[in-house]
Amino acid sequence: MMLSAVLSVLVFMRLQRFHRQFTLELKRVMYHMESRISRYISGTIRSLPSVHAYGAEATYASFFMELVNTSALASITAHTSSLWLSARFGLFGAWALSLSASLCILRAESLPPAIAGVALLLALAMAELLERLVKCTVNVATQLAAVERISYYSQLQPETHSLADPGNSLPSPSRSLQRFIPAFTSPASWPLQGPGSPLSPEGPPQVSDSAWADYLQYWPVKGTVEIRDLGVQYQPALPLALSGVSLKVPGGQHVGICGPSGSGKTTLLLSLSHLVPCRNGVIAVDGLEQGHIPMELWRAKICVIPKDAVVFESGSVRLNLDPLEQYTDVDLRAALQAVNLQSSITSLDALATGLGPHKRQLLYLARAYLMQSRIICI
């Protein structure tokens, strides 16, 4: 009986190790494919007008079926591995029962019938118990794969130049302000006007941190966007999505960027919004490079109006226009009037429900009007 127990434990450990590794990898593939299918469905829904315009329904449907087939293949393989494990433990139980019965027959003269019956009963139940134990351990390991994905996202490096991080303060004025502030045209209250100012012939003096902060408060003034030799790469192993892009858009100009699907229009917008890091090249607004400006400040100065504008439907119009409560009701009503929404929205406390896509975009435009954004991307 001890020999049977020792052999059972050895077989159990080997099957458990093999089945656990195999099932865990399959579970990871299933989670990955579910994420890809979800992203593909949401992206296709947003791009439906373009898909219909180019007649690419068959292409999109074919690729979607490939994703579904890959996900189904992983799921079927996981179910098949569970059946394989049950079959192996069934054979193992029959072997353990045969071994116990053979030992009982060999020692039939000295072994009481009651003990022999208990041994056979335990040998029969041992295989089922070990199978349940293996399946429970494997199930716990596969469920922890979700925790593994959460742990992966929690260990991602945070974005740099964040004002929320105490270690990331405003850039040094000696590095940035003295280079670009001579082109700044400030209001009469600008603290650096007069003799010895950066606009004087003597050149820019040493500027204090408070003056640099005041300058950033008014930046950008013209909204001139300059891109020099821009290269964007989403992942280190992937090729460059944009390479060698250079352009200059003077402030106050209306510029449209056209191109077929996949030409890099969205990538250019993401890089301008500081959502995708630049592999090489420079993006500058009014002479200030992207890397010299805190991230929150850079994104706050650029207004993006997406095609599918999202609003907080459970919140009021005031919340959607001014979530940080920085403006008065007079300013909010002036912004709505500027975009011709005053007739559609009678009260600032009304819920932002029932607004169509066009009116949602106008709501975004009213927010840009409030913020006095010099750069608006539609």
Side-chain angles (χ1 to χ4, degrees), residues 54-210:
Y54 286 97
E57 296 89 348
T59 303
Y60 274 73
S62 176
F63 186 74
F64 176 74
M65 290 307 301
E66 290 181 6
L67 295 178
V68 172
N69 290 336
T70 305
S71 178
L73 180 61
S75 179
I76 292 173
T77 307
H79 182 66
T80 305
S81 67
S82 179
L83 297 178
W84 176 89
L85 182 66
S86 300
R88 291 299 182 276
F89 270 104
L91 294 174
F92 167 69
W95 172 81
L97 182 61
S98 300
L99 180 60
S100 300
S102 300
L103 294 176
C104 291
I105 292 173
L106 292 176
R107 303 186 60 183
E109 297 179 357
S110 60
L111 188 66
I115 299 299
V118 171
L120 293 176
L121 183 62
L122 291 177
L124 183 62
M126 183 175 56
E128 183 181 357
L129 293 176
L130 290 178
E131 181 183 359
R132 289 184 179 179
L133 181 59
V134 170
K135 288 186 175 181
C136 287
T137 55
V138 170
N139 186 39
V140 171
T142 54
Q143 294 300 327
L144 287 177
V147 181
E148 181 183 18
R149 290 173 64 86
I150 296 176
S151 176
Y152 166 77
Y153 286 114
S154 65
Q155 294 174 4
L156 291 177
Q157 294 295 327
E159 296 176 309
T160 57
H161 296 292
S162 174
L163 291 176
D165 187 355
N168 292 332
S169 57
L170 291 173
S172 172
S174 60
R175 181 179 65 183
S176 301
L177 179 59
Q178 296 184 30
R179 293 175 55 193
F180 303 118
I181 202 173
F184 177 69
T185 305
S186 62
S189 59
W190 175 245
L192 299 180
Q193 292 286 347
S197 71
L199 304 178
S200 63
E202 290 81 4
Q206 293 294 327
V207 184
S208 63
D209 291 341
S210 60

Side-chain angles (χ1 to χ4, degrees), residues 2-342:
M2 291 297 297
L3 178 61
S4 177
V6 172
L7 292 176
S8 300
V9 170
L10 293 177
V11 173
F12 157 75
M13 292 177 62
R14 184 172 180 82
L15 287 176
Q16 189 266 349
R17 186 182 300 112
F18 174 77
H19 183 66
R20 176 179 176 273
Q21 294 177 354
F22 182 72
T23 307
L24 185 58
E25 292 299 327
L26 283 176
K27 202 68 174 179
R28 288 171 178 166
V29 173
M30 292 171 60
Y31 283 143
H32 175 68
M33 294 307 302
E34 288 174 359
S35 300
R36 289 192 62 185
I37 291 174
S38 177
R39 291 197 304 268
Y40 187 76
I41 291 176
S42 59
T44 304
I45 292 175
R46 291 195 301 267
S47 306
L48 275 180
S50 300
V51 173
H52 291 312
Y54 286 97
E57 296 89 348
T59 303
Y60 274 73
S62 176
F63 186 74
F64 176 74
M65 290 307 301
E66 290 181 6
L67 295 178
V68 172
N69 290 336
T70 305
S71 178
L73 180 61
S75 179
I76 292 173
T77 307
H79 182 66
T80 305
S81 67
S82 179
L83 297 178
W84 176 89
L85 182 66
S86 300
R88 291 299 182 276
F89 270 104
L91 294 174
F92 167 69
W95 172 81
L97 182 61
S98 300
L99 180 60
S100 300
S102 300
L103 294 176
C104 291
I105 292 173
L106 292 176
R107 303 186 60 183
E109 297 179 357
S110 60
L111 188 66
I115 299 299
V118 171
L120 293 176
L121 183 62
L122 291 177
L124 183 62
M126 183 175 56
E128 183 181 357
L129 293 176
L130 290 178
E131 181 183 359
R132 289 184 179 179
L133 181 59
V134 170
K135 288 186 175 181
C136 287
T137 55
V138 170
N139 186 39
V140 171
T142 54
Q143 294 300 327
L144 287 177
V147 181
E148 181 183 18
R149 290 173 64 86
I150 296 176
S151 176
Y152 166 77
Y153 286 114
S154 65
Q155 294 174 4
L156 291 177
Q157 294 295 327
E159 296 176 309
T160 57
H161 296 292
S162 174
L163 291 176
D165 187 355
N168 292 332
S169 57
L170 291 173
S172 172
S174 60
R175 181 179 65 183
S176 301
L177 179 59
Q178 296 184 30
R179 293 175 55 193
F180 303 118
I181 202 173
F184 177 69
T185 305
S186 62
S189 59
W190 175 245
L192 299 180
Q193 292 286 347
S197 71
L199 304 178
S200 63
E202 290 81 4
Q206 293 294 327
V207 184
S208 63
D209 291 341
S210 60
W212 173 232
D214 290 339
Y215 172 74
L216 290 181
Q217 181 180 359
Y218 294 104
W219 173 86
V221 180
K222 297 181 179 178
T224 301
V225 178
E226 185 175 1
I227 300 176
R228 299 188 297 271
D229 195 23
L230 178 64
V232 178
Q233 188 178 27
Y234 285 97
Q235 295 292 338
L238 297 177
L240 290 175
L242 290 177
S243 178
V245 177
S246 298
L247 60 92
K248 184 175 182 181
V249 181
Q253 298 293 321
H254 298 78
V255 176
I257 300 177
C258 305
S261 178
S263 60
K265 302 184 297 297
T266 302
T267 303
L268 182 62
L269 178 60
L270 293 177
S271 60
L272 180 61
S273 304
H274 213 316
L275 295 176
V276 176
C278 301
R279 180 61 181 263
N280 50 57
V282 173
I283 298 178
V285 174
D286 278 2
L288 282 178
E289 297 179 5
Q290 195 177 66
H292 295 163
I293 302 297
M295 185 182 305
E296 286 90 341
L297 181 61
W298 180 277
R299 292 175 178 171
K301 298 297 184 176
I302 297 177
C303 181
V304 178
I305 303 177
K307 179 175 62 176
D308 298 324
V310 179
V311 298
F312 301 106
E313 295 188 357
S314 59
S316 62
V317 175
R318 178 184 284 105
L319 176 64
N320 283 276
L321 277 178
D322 184 22
L324 300 180
E325 300 180 356
Q326 297 176 334
Y327 305 96
T328 63
D329 289 356
V330 177
D331 297 331
L332 298 181
R333 294 186 182 279
L336 293 176
Q337 185 176 3
V339 297
N340 295 325
L341 273 181
Q342 71 279 6

